[in-house]
Amino acid sequence: MNDDSILCSFTDGVASITLNRPDKLNSLNEQMHRQIAAFLDRIEAAPELRVLVLTGAGRAFCSGQDQSDRKPLPPGQRRDMGQALEQYYKPLVLRLRALPAPVVCAMNGLAVGVGASLVLACDIVIAKRSAYFIQGFTKLGLMPDGGATQFLPQLVGPARAIGMAMLNEKLEAAQAAEWGLIWRCVDDAEFEQASAALIAQLARAATRALALTKLAIYEASSHVLTRQLDLEIRSQRELGLTQDYLEGASAFLEKRAAAFQGM
C-alpha cells in the first residue's frame, strides 16, 4: 500500500509506516492522515501483526502539521483549530496506544510540534543522535496538542514539560534519553542496525503479553492500586491460556530459547 507521501508495508508480522515528504520535512496533511488510517484499518485486527514501526524519510521524522495544507479563509473568518485535532490527530494517537502490538518509533530526525507528539504516542522510541525535539506551538500562539500536555509531564515531570512547551528550545536526542522522554539514543551510523535489531526482537516476542503489558502501564496513571492489581489479575489469567505462555514455560524448563508465535 504505497503512495507518494506515505509508504506502508506489512511483511512477516512487521507493519511499517514511513512518512515520505522529505522536501516538506514530512509535515502531515489530510491525504497522509487518510492513508495512515486506511493502513491501520488493515493491520490492527490482523492476527499476524507482531509490531508496527513509524519512521520518516530524509532528515526529519515529522515537522508537524503542514500549514500550507489549510485552505485560506475569507477575510474576518477565524479557523477552528480544534477541527483537525478532533478529526485526525486524536483518533490516530488513540489507535496507536490501543494497537494490540508494540509501536516503535524509529526517530530518524527532527520532530517538531505535533510531530513530536506523534513520537511520544509510540511505545518505544529509538532515535538517531542527530535527532531532536522542538515543541514550537507557542511560537504560533498555540498550545501543545496531539497528547503532548499529557505525555510530557508524565515522562519528564511538569517543570521540564512547561519549560519545553513555553521556551521552545531544541532538545537533543541524547538529552531526551537521559530525561526518560525516549527509550534510547544511538549514533547515526548504528541507527539502522540498532532499529532493525529492536524490531526483530519485538517481532519474535509473545505479542499478546506485550499488548497487555502496554495496556496495563498506560492504564496505571488513572488507576488506584486496587484497580491496577485487578487489571493485572485479569490480564495474567488471559495470558496463562495462550500458546505463547505454554511455549515460554516449556522453553524455561528445557533451558532453550522460546519460539513465540504471537498467539
Side-chain angles (χ1 to χ4, degrees), residues 74-93:
Q77 188 172 336
R78 300 296 178 92
R79 190 178 303 280
D80 178 359
M81 295 302 294
Q83 182 178 355
L85 294 173
E86 189 168 30
Q87 185 174 359
Y88 296 119
Y89 290 103
K90 178 182 176 181
L92 175 56
V93 168

Side-chain angles (χ1 to χ4, degrees), residues 147-180:
T149 57
Q150 183 173 101
F151 300 148
L152 289 174
Q154 285 182 345
L155 292 168
V156 302
R160 285 172 171 162
I162 288 175
M164 290 176 66
M166 291 187 176
L167 301 177
N168 299 302
E169 294 179 354
K170 181 189 293 187
L171 181 68
E172 305 285 354
Q175 186 72 69
E178 184 177 330
W179 282 5

Side-chain angles (χ1 to χ4, degrees), residues 10 39-49 95 99-100:
F10 189 18
F39 186 65
L40 292 177
D41 287 342
R42 173 185 168 193
I43 68 167
E44 59 190 355
E48 66 270 29
L49 177 65
R95 292 180 83 174
L99 196 74

Side-chain angles (χ1 to χ4, degrees), residues 92-113:
L92 175 56
V93 168
L94 292 178
R95 292 180 83 174
L96 293 176
R97 283 297 174 103
L99 196 74
V103 180
V104 173
C105 177
M107 187 179 168
N108 59 294
L110 65 90
V112 178

